[in-house]
Amino acid sequence: MVWWVYPYACLNIDCGWFEWLRALRRAIYTGEKRAVLLQNLTKAFSNEDNVIVSISVRTAFDVYLQALNIPKGSEILMTAINIPEMVRVIKLHGFVPVPVDVDVNTLAVTPERLESAITDKTKLILATFTYGVRYDLAGIAKVGKKYNIPIFEDCAEGYVGPSYKGDPNADVTVFSFGPIKHATAFQGAVMIIRNNPEILQKARKIHDSYPVQSGKIYLKKVIKYSGGIVLLNLRWLNYILRPILLNIGFDYKKRVVSLLRGFAPGQGLEVYRFRPCTAMISFLYRRISHFDDKKFYKGMKSIQEGTDILIKGGVTVPGSNPKDRTFWLYPIVTKDAAKAYDALNNAGIDAYQGISQLYAVPVPEGSKCPKPDKAYEMFKNLLYLPIHKDVPHKDIVKICKHTVKLLNPKL
């Protein structure tokens, strides 16, 4: 029986109630000028007029693939840790997704590993930064230039405020502002296209041809995700509700995760082919222009201290080597995920399995590319801990020490 819990969930909606009310007000009515808002967002991300604001990263990726206009059957090299929907977008275009393995300690793809996967069919490199890890793309960019292959930098999980606007070595950078991302606008993405005015013009023309998504749809999203704020962010509710649900065996985690999905899985590309409504653009600009750097990095510092405790205690934390890492979801790798899951939850630590869509990308049938064994092995025993920037420092320390005690009792 569980009678006490740490009142934090693995997922966190980065939006307080005052900000949510601002989103609601805009979703009901906004008199702001769309063109001015888009211009302001462009200035926030680039010194050039090369920014496209879309409803999602998948929309941006779909637009870019159309503008790139590569032959059917082309191969796209991608970080082996990714989400199924990015793989599906690639396949729906008639291309072949080829996973490239990562190092568990850095979550980075090495230039050498990437180059060994290139064939005469390779037309794009999709470098995805997962779990808040970023790494220098200079080495990968050299490989791209050597073979004349553009680099698409997927920073969907990596927005850290105005201090990072994408790696200049990348031909494209995208940021996400979906429901569980930093500075969430409950929807939306920003794509920056560099070095190729022709591709930029084509992408703009394609995106501008899409209808504007109904403001009613955005209003429904804002209302829907208020439920996530209640279930995930309210500590007193976690104190009361979680022990009850755990003791009756109700799988509330699946319900919460399904609530937070931005799109229903398995749909065609047409579901992404809309432009954002003015209300969403307005709220996105509000989140960007009021981003609190000090609070953000204070939270990251606390998480890094917790990471040091886990590593010293023998717990594997993927991507722990980069010291400038900004944490989003917090993964750990255990010897036995099922056993660790039960131990942590029985101790009141809200560990999750399968909370994220992230997975190890399968090798395409008939491909001679090496299997991403490190990514496969990592996902066999992957868990997520309830650690994020809004968890107080003292509780991060307690959760990490408690986790070490449960998972490495010899210490």
Side-chain angles (χ1 to χ4, degrees), residues 76-82 98-118 124-130 133-144 151-152 154 167 319 322 361 370 372 374-375:
I76 295 179
L77 302 188
M78 64 190 306
T79 307
I81 299 175
N82 232 291
V98 178
V100 181
D101 211 355
V102 299
D103 179 89
V104 175
N105 291 321
T106 64
L107 294 180
V109 172
T110 64
E112 296 76 19
R113 193 172 284 157
L114 189 77
E115 186 168 14
S116 68
I118 290 176
L124 180 65
I125 295 169
L126 174 59
T128 304
F129 297 159
T130 53
V133 171
R134 297 197 316 273
Y135 49 90
D136 188 0
L137 289 180
I140 290 176
K142 284 183 181 179
V143 175
I151 312 294
F152 190 102
D154 183 353
D167 194 314
V361 177
K374 291 183 178 180

Side-chain angles (χ1 to χ4, degrees), residues 210-339:
Y210 294 165
V212 174
Q213 191 178 62
S214 167
K216 290 181 180 179
I217 292 177
Y218 185 62
L219 175 60
K220 288 179 181 178
K221 287 181 179 291
V222 172
I223 294 171
K224 171 186 174 182
Y225 296 130
S226 68
I229 296 174
V230 170
L231 294 171
L232 298 174
N233 294 17
L234 292 186
R235 296 177 192 177
W236 64 266
L237 187 64
N238 269 266
Y239 269 129
I240 297 169
L241 195 58
R242 264 185 38 222
I244 296 171
L245 297 177
L246 284 167
N247 289 328
I248 65 173
F250 181 77
D251 192 355
Y252 60 91
K253 297 178 183 182
K254 279 188 178 180
R255 300 294 179 93
V256 172
V257 170
S258 63
L259 172 71
L260 297 174
R261 295 286 189 230
F263 295 94
Q267 301 184 68
L269 292 170
E270 68 279 354
V271 73
Y272 306 128
R273 292 178 175 177
F274 291 89
R275 286 181 289 156
C277 65
T278 303
M280 193 221 82
I281 298 169
S282 172
F283 189 56
L284 175 55
Y285 180 62
R286 159 81 196 180
R287 300 313 311 276
I288 296 303
S289 58
H290 288 77
F291 190 85
D292 190 337
D293 292 72
K294 289 184 179 179
K295 181 180 178 183
F296 181 81
Y297 283 103
K298 182 180 179 181
M300 293 304 130
K301 184 179 179 182
S302 294
I303 298 173
Q304 186 58 58
E305 288 183 31
T307 302
D308 293 339
I309 292 169
L310 290 171
I311 292 171
K312 288 177 183 177
V315 178
T316 300
V317 181
S320 60
N321 278 10
K323 292 302 179 185
D324 63 343
R325 173 179 176 179
T326 55
F327 296 83
W328 177 57
L329 287 177
Y330 197 96
I332 61 170
V333 176
T334 69
K335 294 178 182 178
D336 185 331
K339 187 176 179 180

Side-chain angles (χ1 to χ4, degrees), residues 75-100:
E75 294 177 349
I76 295 179
L77 302 188
M78 64 190 306
T79 307
I81 299 175
N82 232 291
I83 63 171
E85 286 302 293
M86 291 297 275
V87 173
R88 204 170 66 85
V89 168
I90 291 171
K91 289 182 176 180
L92 286 172
H93 277 273
F95 308 140
V96 181
V98 178
V100 181

Side-chain angles (χ1 to χ4, degrees), residues 4-9 12 232-236 239 295-296 298-307 309 386-401:
W4 182 88
V5 297
Y6 292 95
Y8 311 104
N12 178 55
L232 298 174
N233 294 17
L234 292 186
R235 296 177 192 177
W236 64 266
Y239 269 129
K295 181 180 178 183
F296 181 81
K298 182 180 179 181
M300 293 304 130
K301 184 179 179 182
S302 294
I303 298 173
Q304 186 58 58
E305 288 183 31
T307 302
I309 292 169
I387 297 175
H388 51 75
K389 71 178 183 64
D390 292 332
V391 178
H393 175 268
K394 63 180 178 62
D395 286 339
I396 288 176
V397 171
K398 287 179 181 178
I399 290 169
C400 291
K401 286 183 177 180

